[in-house]
Each structure stands twice: as structure tokens, then as C-alpha cells.
Amino acid sequence: MTEREKRHIQSCRVLIVGPDEFVCVVRHDLKNLGFREVIIGSVSMLNPDKNVADIIIHYIGSGPLLTGKDNCIPTIYPFDFIKGAGVIVLFPEDDRESFCSPDIRLWSAEYMAGYCTFWNIGDLDWLLESLPLIREDKTSYQGVKTAAYMSARIVANIAVGRHVKHYPRFYLTKNISRDL
């Protein structure tokens, strides 16, 4: 990482919204990458007029997507998929109409599984095996850790201006086996 990129990371404000289990892990990962201003917040802070942060990480779990169409901040939505994790990145110009599901985690898992099946993207068995557990609203601490790890790296890439995949594309991986 260049000195310029390190300065960008140090000056970038990241708002994390989610349960304590996720917040603790992703905050640690962000601090390790050099982020200094990591704000722990609530859904009420997601109002884009408040200018609280430059990037938002919003771990929803089950339930609907809670940000409006007018969000002017890049938002990362990480998901625990039991045996792995997925992340969807939304930039202000991205269409949010698809995210009207009452259970965005399940919708995202099914969307990613369907996308990968359609495009014949392999190594998907772990996600297909996890779908029944996701439907039962089960979670996995290892899945949460993997989602946090992925989110921190995506935030770093956004902060320094690198290209990141955003909706309708996504990030999907099996759980990272090493201790995060």
C-alpha cells in the first residue's frame, strides 16, 4: 500500500451498523488496516444528510434493507451464510428496488446461488447446503468473521479508489479457515 493510500485510509470515516458480534470483529479488522475513525452507530444514523461517514458497513442479518434510495454514501451489506459469507456493495447510483424483500439475508443467499448456478460458477455446494439453515435464521460465528474480514478489505479498496464489484455483482466465499 502506498503512503497516499495509507493517508486516505486514515482519513476515511466508516460507520458500522450491526450486532455487537459483527461490530467487534469488523472494527478490529478495520483498525488493523489503518482506519482511525470507525464509528459504531445505529440505523437512525444512516440518514445521508447527517454526513456522519464516508462509507457505511450495514450488517442486517434477517429483515429488510433499511436504507432509502437516496443514500449518497457507498454501503456494504455483509451476510453470514453459515458455511461462508457474501457481501453486496451498493453505490449511490445503484438500483435498490430489488432489495424490497422482508428477509434480505435469505434473498441475497438465493440471489447469489441462482446467479452462480446460471453462470455455471463452481464451488457452490457450501451455499446450497446452507440455504435451509438460512431459512431457519441460523447463524455462524465463523460466517460472521468471514463477512467482517471481507467487508474490511472492500472498505479499504473503496477508500483508496480501487475498483470494487457492486450490485448486481457481489462477493461470495466459503468461510476463511485461519483465525481472523
Side-chain angles (χ1 to χ4, degrees), residues 35-94:
F35 287 90
R36 291 191 177 157
E37 194 165 350
V38 179
I39 306 155
I40 311 304
S42 66
V43 172
S44 64
M45 295 177 74
L46 294 177
N47 182 344
D49 296 332
K50 289 187 179 182
N51 195 23
V52 171
D54 301 310
I55 302 170
I56 298 169
I57 301 175
H58 187 186
Y59 183 96
I60 300 172
S62 296
L65 188 79
L66 299 173
T67 60
K69 290 178 9 177
D70 58 347
N71 196 351
C72 59
I73 300 169
T75 307
I76 292 122
Y77 294 98
F79 302 99
D80 156 27
F81 290 155
I82 312 295
K83 296 183 179 185
V87 177
I88 293 177
V89 178
L90 289 174
F91 285 112
E93 66 275 7
D94 290 334

Side-chain angles (χ1 to χ4, degrees), residues 2-16:
T2 67
E3 286 303 315
R4 183 175 175 263
E5 289 173 333
K6 288 178 185 176
R7 281 193 305 277
H8 277 292
I9 283 175
Q10 290 172 356
S11 66
C12 184
R13 297 168 301 159
V14 180
L15 170 64
I16 305 171

Side-chain angles (χ1 to χ4, degrees), residues 130-171:
S130 295
L131 282 173
L133 299 171
I134 294 168
R135 286 184 186 104
E136 295 174 15
D137 203 25
K138 303 283 188 201
T139 61
S140 155
Y141 184 64
Q142 191 62 33
V144 168
K145 287 172 54 175
T146 300
Y149 180 85
M150 293 167 61
S151 298
R153 270 106 195 116
I154 293 167
V155 168
N157 283 328
I158 292 171
V160 299
R162 292 185 187 135
H163 175 76
V164 297
K165 297 187 282 188
H166 58 96
Y167 184 75
R169 295 173 63 207
F170 51 84
Y171 295 88

